[in-house]
Amino acid sequence: MSASGRWLSGTFPREVVVAAAQMGPVARGDTRAEVVERLITLLRTAHDRGAELVVFPELALTTFFPRWAIDDVVELDGYFETHLPGPATQPLFDEAKRLGVGFQLGYAEITPDGHRYNTAILVERDGTVVSRYRKVHVPGHDQEEPWRAFQHLERRYFEPGPGFQVHEAFGGLVGQATCNDRRWPETYRVLGLQGVELVLIGYNTPIHYLPDPGQDRLAGHHNTLVMAAGAYQNGTWVVGVAKGGVEEGVWSLAESQIISPGGEVVARAITEGDEVVIALVDLDRCWDYKRTVFNFAQYRLPDRYRMITEEPKPD
Ligand code: ING
């Protein structure tokens, strides 16, 4: 049944308690076991506070390795998961299933045929895998740029994913995005056109933006701006979850937050470390906006917007 059908069917209230499980820094030398232990602690804390869904950051299992040019392929592969769950991460999947808590976990994925993605897995409360989302907007650069105090080589290490899908889970329609995706309105609109009610976004965001340091002072503002706009303009909840703090010398934005379909920040982290942020997400509040101001069927004029998806004309 479609979301609107569920809304009209009056299966009220579609409420789900969601936790943003923010992480502080992960050091280059931290083992998977050490990180998984932190994730399980966050999961248990969230569960104790009533959470049914726990959202972890982007690339949560390792330090944000795109900050370095890694030429040794063995070292680079060490940051990727060939299997998830794998031996080191199985304890997290087991504990989540035991507690009946679903979760999203960001990780670096290498496929059997050698493709590399910045991926987020979504697991339901019964342990079934709902989806594996592969980051679409891959920022940064693909060649080492020595002028930078630190690199942002995601375009060297990851391929873009195929797109944005919505899945029935946690009583509603759930969509995924990762980090830079949150800055692009198309991310939310493609999900919104599929009826999304809850968008889950992990991020690693260096505060010092080397191509234009003038933007540094606005890092927190831009973070909330884009997620709140995406939420409001598509009538969806948005959960943004950071790996923040000073990680291997790079100060990264924390400010994990949960945002309502009205664009209000209803809960926000207050530290730069491991912290659980909880909110009661009433999915039916989405339809306050989807049925009115953002009734796409009634008000959108796609034939006026074709420029948005047309390939740019060669000049
Ligand atoms: N990180 C950053 C992000 O989009 C960035 C990259 C930072 C882009 C600041 C623009 C400004 O939040 C990732 N991992 O995408």
Side-chain angles (χ1 to χ4, degrees):
M1 186 194 304
S2 72
S4 54
R6 254 202 322 276
W7 178 80
L8 295 173
S9 72
T11 54
F12 286 91
R14 290 186 301 127
E15 295 175 343
V16 54
V17 179
V18 177
Q22 175 178 288
M23 296 174 74
V26 174
R28 188 171 195 161
D30 287 351
T31 65
R32 292 288 192 287
E34 288 165 333
V35 175
V36 167
E37 201 172 314
R38 284 170 61 183
L39 297 175
I40 289 175
T41 299
L42 286 163
L43 185 88
R44 286 175 176 154
T45 302
H47 174 258
D48 292 348
R49 296 182 192 169
E52 301 160 85
L53 167 60
V54 179
V55 187
F56 293 113
E58 170 193 32
L59 297 176
L61 296 171
T62 67
T63 196
F64 187 73
F65 60 89
R67 67 169 65 91
W68 300 298
I70 301 169
D71 299 317
D72 176 342
V73 72
V74 172
E75 182 189 347
L76 179 63
D77 284 353
Y79 291 109
F80 285 76
E81 310 302 316
T82 54
H83 297 83
L84 193 85
T89 49
Q90 190 63 53
L92 173 66
F93 284 69
D94 293 346
E95 182 65 356
K97 187 173 180 179
R98 185 182 74 83
L99 295 174
V101 176
F103 64 94
Q104 173 172 284
L105 179 72
Y107 68 101
E109 174 192 15
I110 184 165
T111 65
D113 53 352
H115 293 280
R116 297 168 188 266
Y117 299 101
N118 186 336
T119 301
I121 190 170
L122 180 61
V123 181
E124 249 287 15
R125 291 155 288 189
D126 62 359
T128 55
V129 174
V130 175
S131 78
R132 294 174 199 265
Y133 166 71
R134 291 163 172 169
K135 184 177 185 179
V136 169
H137 296 92
V138 182
H141 45 105
D142 59 5
Q143 297 297 320
E144 184 175 9
E145 295 178 358
W147 63 270
R148 291 174 181 258
F150 52 88
Q151 305 297 304
H152 198 110
L153 284 162
E154 288 194 62
R155 297 178 75 84
R156 174 172 170 178
Y157 301 138
F158 303 121
E159 297 172 43
F164 306 101
Q165 298 296 321
V166 166
H167 301 275
E168 292 230 15
F170 304 96
L173 291 177
V174 180
Q176 299 172 273
T178 299
C179 206
N180 198 253
D181 287 326
R182 77 191 188 283
R183 300 182 189 278
W184 299 91
E186 293 87 351
T187 301
Y188 304 94
R189 185 44 53 87
V190 170
L191 291 171
L193 288 168
Q194 299 172 70
V196 74
E197 298 171 306
L198 176 60
V199 183
L200 311 178
I201 308 175
Y203 59 86
N204 288 252
T205 298
I207 288 172
H208 188 24
Y209 184 60
L210 294 160
D212 178 18
Q215 297 182 32
D216 297 5
R217 70 179 183 83
L218 294 171
H221 172 66
H222 289 159
N223 185 47
T224 298
L225 175 70
V226 294
M227 293 195 289
Y232 169 59
Q233 290 168 342
N234 295 281
T236 179
W237 289 85
V238 173
V239 182
V241 189
K243 172 145 54 72
V246 180
E247 183 177 273
E248 297 293 336
V250 175
W251 187 24
S252 303
L253 183 70
E255 299 192 15
S256 303
Q257 52 198 271
I258 300 173
I259 298 172
S260 77
E264 292 179 289
V265 177
V266 298
R268 185 201 290 259
I270 58 171
T271 74
E272 292 191 317
D274 289 15
E275 180 180 345
V276 172
V277 177
I278 292 275
L280 174 65
V281 167
D282 177 353
L283 295 169
D284 293 311
R285 297 286 54 79
C286 297
W287 295 88
D288 299 346
Y289 294 87
K290 292 179 189 285
R291 282 184 306 110
T292 59
V293 60
F294 293 111
N295 180 327
F296 290 166
Q298 189 169 358
Y299 296 120
R300 279 189 76 243
L301 293 169
D303 64 327
R304 275 31 172 213
Y305 315 150
R306 296 204 188 292
M307 197 183 291
I308 290 178
T309 58
E310 280 168 357
E311 287 302 317
K313 296 194 178 11
D315 45 17

